[in-house]
Amino acid sequence: MRHVDVVLPCLNEAAALPFVLSRIPVEARAIVVDNGSTDGSAAIAEAHGARVVEVRQRGFGAAAHGGLEEATRPVVCFMDADGSLDPGQLARVVEPVLTGAADLVLGRRRPTCRAAWPWHARIGNALLAARLRRTAGVSLHDLGPMRAARREALLDLGLTDRRFGYPLEMVLRAARSGWRIAEVDVDYAPRAGGRSKVTGTVRGTLRAVADMSRVAAR
């Protein structure tokens, strides 16, 4: 994993960061992208050995892309910093990229319990994945937040969305560029520190789906 940078967009994840950073594979480098946290997340990340980058423009895509631009290693992984995903499973998404078997690999979330993935978030995700299969010919069942690809190739995609449409735009542009896209199973657990800021509420889910639908309609 010495060829891998792990980008973790972060907004008030103090409760989860100690676990998440302790599970980053040996030799991989964690890049925590602080997107306006007020709970000391940046200091906690630094204390646990992560490189911390501040991105003032609010938005998931702004944070994720800021981390991509900061990365220097050949392969870049993205994952949520809220403890819902286990960094110990990053090798599952990295290996096909390192071996050349795939160009973009997404972790297909497999909930460890019912509370991990609220019904409204699961339905919204399933509808978007079905649309991808139908319109873009991409055989995915989940727009999973744990994913990996080569850094230079990702930069060449020219991603422009800076909100919740960023993950979908990545897949769409990769598909249009002829990338080999694959998915592997990863565990999905309840996030640390309460409800997700996005999928934890119907309103948050609808906002994310709206951003992604806007990107899909381009």
Side-chain angles (χ1 to χ4, degrees):
M1 298 287 280
R2 65 183 183 277
H3 302 297
V4 177
D5 277 333
V6 183
V7 173
L8 300 115
C10 175
L11 176 60
N12 294 329
E13 302 294 1
L17 282 172
F19 164 77
V20 171
L21 295 174
S22 72
R23 296 282 294 167
I24 296 290
V26 176
E27 296 186 334
R29 181 176 66 162
I31 302 176
V32 173
V33 186
D34 188 69
N35 200 212
S37 298
T38 58
D39 65 348
S41 288
I44 291 171
E46 287 182 344
H48 284 78
R51 178 173 180 80
V52 177
V53 179
E54 180 184 1
V55 171
R56 294 187 178 182
Q57 180 183 354
R58 293 296 286 268
F60 177 84
H65 201 73
L68 173 60
E69 292 177 329
E70 185 69 20
T72 57
R73 296 184 178 185
V75 174
V76 175
C77 296
F78 298 88
M79 65 171 289
D80 290 345
D82 62 6
S84 61
L85 296 161
D86 182 0
Q89 297 180 352
L90 277 168
R92 299 182 187 182
V93 300
V94 171
E95 189 64 22
V97 176
L98 288 176
T99 62
D103 301 306
L104 173 63
V105 181
L106 285 74
R108 181 179 182 181
R109 289 169 286 185
R110 297 295 193 178
T112 59
C113 65
R114 181 173 294 183
W117 204 352
W119 64 269
H120 46 83
R122 194 178 304 203
I123 290 173
N125 180 77
L127 290 173
L128 286 168
R131 183 174 180 177
L132 268 180
R133 294 194 299 273
R134 184 177 67 254
T135 63
V138 179
S139 184
L140 292 177
H141 299 84
D142 180 18
L143 290 171
M146 181 186 282
R147 51 183 64 190
R150 292 198 172 271
R151 174 182 173 275
E152 290 296 334
L154 282 169
L155 289 170
D156 288 344
L157 289 179
L159 302 176
T160 60
D161 192 90
R162 295 297 180 262
R163 295 176 49 162
F164 292 117
Y166 187 88
L168 177 60
E169 184 186 18
M170 183 185 296
V171 174
L172 285 172
R173 292 201 178 213
R176 291 166 185 164
S177 298
W179 288 25
R180 297 162 299 163
I181 302 173
E183 62 183 0
V184 296
D185 289 351
V186 295
D187 294 340
Y188 192 52
R191 60 163 278 131
R195 288 188 313 188
S196 167
K197 294 180 285 292
V198 181
T199 60
T201 66
V202 173
R203 181 179 180 181
T205 296
L206 291 175
R207 184 177 60 178
V209 170
D211 282 354
M212 290 189 180
S213 296
R214 172 176 46 80
V215 169
R218 290 177 183 171

